[in-house]
Amino acid sequence: MNVGIDQISFHVPNFYVDMVDLANARNVDPNKFLIGIGQEKMAVNPKSQDIITFATNAAKQILTDDDLNKIDLIIVGTESSIDESKAAAVVLHRLLDIQPFARSFEVKEACYAGTAGLQMALNHVRLHPDKKALVIATDIAKYGLNSGGEPTQGAGAVAILVAANPKILVIHEESLALTQDIYDFWRPTNQAYPLVDGPLSNETYIQSFNQVWNTYNQQFNQQISDYQALLFHIPYTKMGKKALQSVLPTADQITQERLLQHYEDSIQYSRQVGNLYTGSLYLGLISLLENSQDLKTTQKIGLFSYGSGAVAEFFTASLVNGYQEHLHHSLHQNLLNERKRLSIEEYEKMFEDSLDVNVDQEFSDTYPYSIQSIHNTIRQYRK
Ligand code: COA
C-alpha cells in the first residue's frame, strides 16, 4: 500500500528583513549574505506570533472536514517549544477543530524533529490506512543580533497531511538514520539563543550526508543517476549546495545538470524566508514541487534530513500522477509578496521585544491565530 504526503503547505510571518540592509548595517559585503550564505530575505515575527500561530495558519490551508474527522495523530516537531510540559500539538488540535479521539504530542531533535514526526506518522497510517496523520514542523530560528548565525535566522511552519493513497508524494519505506553525539549546536534549557560551533555544524552536516547517502545507496542498490532531485535540510541555501557538490563528481554530466537545476528550484522559497529549522527540508520540497516544470513521476526524489546534535536521515519518495493539481502555488506566492519589509531599526526592536508570559496583557495584532491575550501565563489565540 502507498502511504505519503496527501497535502502540504507552509506559513511564514508577515515581516521580513532584506539581507542587503542587514549586511550594510553589519558592515559586511552584501555578497557574503547573497552569494556566500545564499539568502535574500529573512522572516521575522512580532511577539504576538509564535510557533502555534505559524502552525495553525499552515495547517488550516490544507485540511477539509473529512480530514478533520479522519486525523487521529497530530505531531509537532519543534526546537522552539513554548512549554516544557504541554505539547503545542494539543493546542493545535483545538484550534484546528480535529475530532477528539486523537494522539497529540511534540517531538524534539533540533532540525531533524519534523522528519521523526513524519516517519512516525507514515508508520501509523501504514498500520491504519483508514486514518490520517498531521505533522507540523514549526520553529523560530534566532541566533541573536550581531551573532555569526544572524544571517541564517528565519521563522515559520510546514504542515503535512499523511494519508494512504496520497495525492502528492509516496514515501518509500526504506530509509537510513544516523545518530552521533556531537555538540555542534545546542540550546540548554532556559537559554534564549543556541550555542553553535558554525564550522563544526557545517562539517558534521556534510559528513552525515555522505555517510547516510553512501550506505543507503549500497543497502538499497541505488545510484546517483536514479535520482531526479536531491533535497536537503536548508539552514541557508549554500549549505545544501555544498552537500550536493560533495557527491556530484560521481555523476554523469546529464545527472549533474538535472540535480543542480532541481536544487535551484528547491531553494526558491528558502532564499526568501531563511531558516525554518525543522521545517526547512519540507519548505525545500514545496519549493521544488511548485517551481520545477520537468519533474517526473517515474524517477525518485531523495531527501536528506539533518538535526544538529546530531541525527541525520536519508529517504526517498516518488511523485503521484496529477500532483500539481494539489499544490498551493499562488497562495504561497501571495504570502511571500504581501509581507512588510522592516528597517534594521524596526527589526532590532521587534527582535528584542520578547514575550513575558508572566505579565497579563492584550495584543492589538489582528493577524490570524496571533496571540490575543495572556492571562495567568496562558496564551489565547485569535480564532
Ligand atoms: N562575496 C561572496 N562570498 C563571500 C563573501 C563575499 N564578499 N565573503 C564571504 N563569502 C563566503 C565565504 O567564502 C564562505 O563561503 P564558503 O563556505 O563556500 O567558503 C561563506 O561566504 C560564509 O563565510 P564564512 O566566513 O564562513 O561565514 P561566517 O564565519 O560568518 O559563518 C556560518 C557562516 C554559516 C557558519 C554562520 O552563519 C553560522 O554559524 N550559522 C549557524 C549554524 C548553521 O547554520 N550551520 C549549518 C549546519 S546545520
Side-chain angles (χ1 to χ4, degrees), residues 28-38 111 143 147-153 184-185 196-206 233-236 238-239 242 245 275 277 306-308:
V28 170
D29 178 352
N31 282 338
K32 175 174 175 183
F33 292 172
L34 297 173
I35 301 166
I37 299 280
C111 302
Y143 288 87
S147 66
E150 187 180 28
T152 69
Q153 297 178 142
D184 59 333
F185 170 113
V196 55
D197 181 338
L200 180 64
S201 71
N202 288 354
E203 199 184 295
T204 312
Y205 177 113
I206 304 257
H233 164 52
I234 312 171
Y236 53 97
K238 184 77 170 289
M239 183 73 250
K242 282 189 188 182
Q245 281 167 336
N275 194 354
Y277 278 164
Y306 177 78
S308 288

Side-chain angles (χ1 to χ4, degrees), residues 313-367:
E313 183 160 345
F314 186 77
F315 59 105
T316 61
S318 298
L319 285 162
V320 176
N321 268 325
Y323 73 91
Q324 299 93 332
E325 290 156 36
H326 304 285
L327 302 175
H328 304 279
H329 193 197
S330 49
L331 185 134
H332 293 144
Q333 289 299 336
N334 291 342
L335 176 71
L336 294 177
N337 293 339
E338 285 165 11
R339 294 178 297 167
K340 181 182 181 307
R341 177 178 177 168
L342 296 173
S343 67
I344 295 302
E345 203 183 2
E346 288 169 317
Y347 150 66
E348 291 181 346
K349 201 167 161 232
M350 194 177 275
F351 191 96
E352 288 187 316
D353 186 20
S354 56
L355 187 70
D356 184 352
V357 292
N358 292 305
V359 177
D360 281 6
Q361 53 200 298
E362 309 279 330
F363 292 91
S364 55
D365 187 354
T366 54
Y367 198 73

Side-chain angles (χ1 to χ4, degrees), residues 95-286:
L95 291 172
L96 295 171
D97 294 315
I98 292 170
Q99 65 80 28
F101 299 101
R103 286 190 188 122
S104 306
F105 55 91
E106 196 170 301
V107 289
K108 174 180 72 181
E109 174 20 53
C111 302
Y112 170 73
T115 301
L118 178 61
Q119 292 292 1
M120 262 188 268
L122 291 164
N123 287 333
H124 175 74
V125 175
R126 283 177 190 129
L127 270 179
H128 308 282
D130 54 327
K131 302 293 185 191
K132 296 186 180 185
L134 179 64
V135 180
I136 300 186
T138 181
D139 267 309
I140 299 172
K142 262 186 157 180
Y143 288 87
L145 299 177
N146 285 296
S147 66
E150 187 180 28
T152 69
Q153 297 178 142
V158 174
I160 300 172
L161 182 67
V162 173
N165 302 316
K167 297 191 197 76
I168 296 176
L169 200 69
V170 172
I171 299 185
H172 305 298
E173 284 185 37
E174 301 79 19
S175 74
L176 188 74
L178 171 78
T179 295
Q180 304 172 97
D181 186 9
I182 293 172
Y183 279 80
D184 59 333
F185 170 113
W186 67 106
R187 183 158 72 86
T189 311
N190 293 329
Q191 200 147 314
Y193 305 128
L195 300 165
V196 55
D197 181 338
L200 180 64
S201 71
N202 288 354
E203 199 184 295
T204 312
Y205 177 113
I206 304 257
Q207 165 256 319
S208 302
F209 170 61
N210 278 274
Q211 279 203 57
V212 289
W213 163 257
N214 288 327
T215 312
Y216 180 97
N217 288 330
Q218 272 163 18
Q219 272 187 11
F220 302 111
N221 203 19
Q222 299 287 303
Q223 47 195 355
I224 192 163
S225 56
D226 294 331
Y227 297 94
Q228 60 176 324
L230 289 177
L231 297 174
F232 294 84
H233 164 52
I234 312 171
Y236 53 97
T237 68
K238 184 77 170 289
M239 183 73 250
K241 190 161 186 177
K242 282 189 188 182
L244 175 61
Q245 281 167 336
S246 74
V247 296
L248 274 188
T250 62
D252 59 68
Q253 191 63 26
I254 291 171
T255 304
Q256 288 197 22
E257 282 165 17
R258 181 176 69 238
L259 294 177
L260 277 170
Q261 178 54 51
H262 287 158
Y263 182 74
E264 290 304 316
D265 297 335
S266 77
I267 60 173
Q268 298 305 311
Y269 294 156
S270 290
R271 283 188 75 86
Q272 305 297 316
V273 302
N275 194 354
L276 299 195
Y277 278 164
T278 188
S280 290
L281 168 63
Y282 301 98
L283 183 67
L285 170 63
I286 299 173

